[in-house]
Amino acid sequence: VLLKGKNLKESFIKFMVASTVTIGSLLEIMAYAFLIPIITDLENIAYNNGNVEETAILIAKRLVASGVIVIGQVALSKTLTKVLKKLS
């Protein structure tokens, strides 16, 4: 019984380590997804196709959304790291 419990604990720790990397990568991709459209916004401003004030507000919203995801990623990674340390 103790051997099975130990094996289960080791398997869970390995799973958590793998999921931490996967979740971190996924959240990084999501953060970049908010930044990519900024390129077209800047292009619209450069070619005088858009309102500068509206575009600036849109860019600011996208930067804030990206920042929120990055902060969430850091918090989640730290939390999972603490859980893994307690389990080890």
Side-chain angles (χ1 to χ4, degrees), residues 14 22 24 29 32 34-35 37 41 43 45-47 50 52 56 59 61 67-69 73-75 78 81 85 87:
K14 288 178 185 177
T22 304
I29 291 169
Y32 284 117
F34 285 100
L35 298 178
D41 295 336
E43 184 180 42
I45 291 174
Y47 292 118
V52 176
I59 289 172
K61 287 180 181 179
V68 167
I69 290 175
Q73 174 199 6
V74 170
K78 286 184 179 181
T81 302
K85 284 182 182 178
L87 290 174

Side-chain angles (χ1 to χ4, degrees), residues 16 20 75-88:
M16 291 296 290
T20 301
L76 184 60
S77 294
K78 286 184 179 181
T79 303
L80 289 176
T81 302
K82 287 180 183 178
V83 169
L84 288 172
K85 284 182 182 178
K86 287 189 178 188
L87 290 174
S88 296

Side-chain angles (χ1 to χ4, degrees), residues 37-50 55 59:
I38 292 175
I39 295 169
T40 57
D41 295 336
L42 294 174
E43 184 180 42
N44 286 337
I45 291 174
Y47 292 118
N48 296 324
N49 293 336
T55 305
I59 289 172

